[in-house]
Amino acid sequence: MNKCRRFSISSVAVVLAATLPLPSTAQETSPSNELTVAVGAGIVPSYEGSDDYSVTPGVLVRGKVANMPFFSRGTNLFVDLVPNHDGQTLDLGLGPVVNLRSNRTSHIKDDRVKALGELDRAIEVGGWAGIAKTGILTSDYDNLSFRVAWLKDVGGAHKSYVVTPAIEYSMPLSQTTLVGLSVSADYVGKGYGRYYYDIDIAGSQASGLGVYGAAGDKAGFAKLNIGLVAAQSLSGDLRKGWAVFALGGYGRILGDYARSPIVRSAGDRNQWLGGLGVAYTF
């Protein structure tokens, strides 16, 4: 999660959650209002489980208003209702989160999956909670955080829920360079598996893919995500001005979801991505 003293860039792709925090020294005073905007492009799978890739643009934001942070991870927007204050080394976070899930809604390259028909976008709302600690291993400024988010589709698409635990670690190599690692997983309800991975008889006849119903039988972990990211300041300080970043990620579709013909026959359970971008901190 974001602290009031950290610089953050998350993935330009909807499938990656990665953090780039950089705290200031305890003696410095942070303004109560801040904004960072990151713009970039990433090479990502054309749908969750695809082996075809496309270039996807992305815009990410991070900031705070009256010492209450907000930040994005992929297409998720988080608001932290617990104010941050200078000098904190332990940060508790709690608040609402919203997401727009566009899996298999357009730009599907595989003809068999395209024949199944485009899906509706899922409008998801929920909440999150987490904790972060600054000064863990390498310096007074490296940061380790843990966060859990719960989202429920309210738009009538998969009509189910997604629970995402995430661990993020960042290490500043200097005032101008920072590296970060993130690990997250998606635990999904039965409706999610049924909507995105199962194939009924009509879908099988239209696409040539086999009938499949195991993904919607029970809730379970659908995907594991690992992300790496590095940032370099162009202004001499990652806390202000321009910066560039590069990122890479690996995702693995799990269990019955990976055995769906949408993944096993038409795609790949191994999901890769990479991206480049620029960010500006006001």
Side-chain angles (χ1 to χ4, degrees), residues 23-207:
S24 62
T25 63
Q27 289 77 25
E28 292 175 316
T29 300
S30 298
S32 60
N33 301 301
E34 290 181 345
L35 177 64
T36 297
V37 178
V39 180
I43 300 175
V44 300
S46 67
Y47 64 85
E48 191 173 89
S50 176
D51 61 356
D52 296 309
Y53 288 78
S54 59
V55 176
T56 301
V59 177
L60 291 311
V61 297
R62 163 265 181 205
K64 60 177 180 173
V65 177
N67 284 327
M68 288 191 291
F70 60 90
F71 57 98
S72 61
R73 294 290 184 271
T75 54
N76 292 263
L77 178 62
F78 295 79
V79 176
D80 187 354
L81 299 180
V82 181
N84 294 159
H85 301 286
D86 288 328
Q88 288 183 205
T89 59
L90 186 67
D91 178 18
L92 300 178
L94 179 70
V97 56
V98 296
N99 182 49
L100 180 65
R101 191 177 301 273
S102 299
N103 186 28
R104 286 175 54 195
T105 59
S106 62
H107 305 297
I108 302 171
K109 294 186 176 182
D110 189 280
D111 290 336
R112 293 166 294 178
V113 178
K114 186 182 297 184
L116 293 172
E118 294 183 349
L119 302 181
D120 294 330
R121 287 179 171 84
I123 302 171
E124 300 168 344
V125 300
W128 70 279
I131 185 170
K133 180 69 169 66
T134 301
I136 297 292
L137 296 174
T138 60
S139 72
D140 292 337
Y141 307 120
D142 65 337
N143 185 275
L144 178 67
S145 66
F146 174 74
R147 179 180 65 251
V148 177
W150 178 87
L151 285 164
K152 177 71 169 64
D153 173 33
V154 297
H158 60 80
K159 303 177 183 178
S160 190
Y161 64 89
V162 181
V163 180
T164 304
I167 298 175
E168 299 172 345
Y169 175 74
S170 66
M171 179 176 65
L173 303 180
S174 69
Q175 193 162 308
T176 61
T177 307
L178 184 140
V179 295
L181 169 69
S182 69
V183 180
S184 67
D186 294 326
Y187 185 91
V188 303
K190 291 188 290 184
Y192 185 100
R194 187 179 306 118
Y195 192 67
Y196 292 114
Y197 291 98
D198 282 354
I199 302 174
D200 60 16
I201 294 175
S204 176
Q205 292 174 341
S207 66

Side-chain angles (χ1 to χ4, degrees), residues 185-186 197 220-225 251-260 263 269:
D186 294 326
Y197 291 98
F221 280 101
K223 191 180 180 189
L224 174 69
N225 302 295
R252 186 169 178 85
I253 310 296
L254 305 174
D256 290 335
Y257 311 96
R259 288 185 278 272
S260 168
V263 180
R269 69 186 303 170

